[in-house]
Amino acid sequence: MHVISDRVCGMDVHKKSITACLLLSDEKELRTFGTM
């Protein structure tokens, strides 16, 4: 598969939490935050 971008971020927003995922070319970081 052809790589278009080597850095991307996705967010999943809910009523009580937000989850962010950062994908780099060789690592992945996933964090979850409370909204209040």
Side-chain angles (χ1 to χ4, degrees):
M1 181 168 44
H2 178 69
V3 176
I4 297 172
S5 180
D6 61 346
R7 295 179 186 161
V8 293
C9 179
M11 292 182 70
D12 192 12
V13 180
H14 294 276
K15 196 175 205 177
K16 295 186 178 186
S17 67
I18 297 171
T19 302
C21 181
L22 177 64
L23 296 174
L24 302 175
S25 58
D26 59 346
E27 61 184 280
K28 175 174 101 170
E29 185 171 344
L30 183 68
R31 290 190 186 181
T32 301
F33 304 92
T35 55
M36 278 303 234

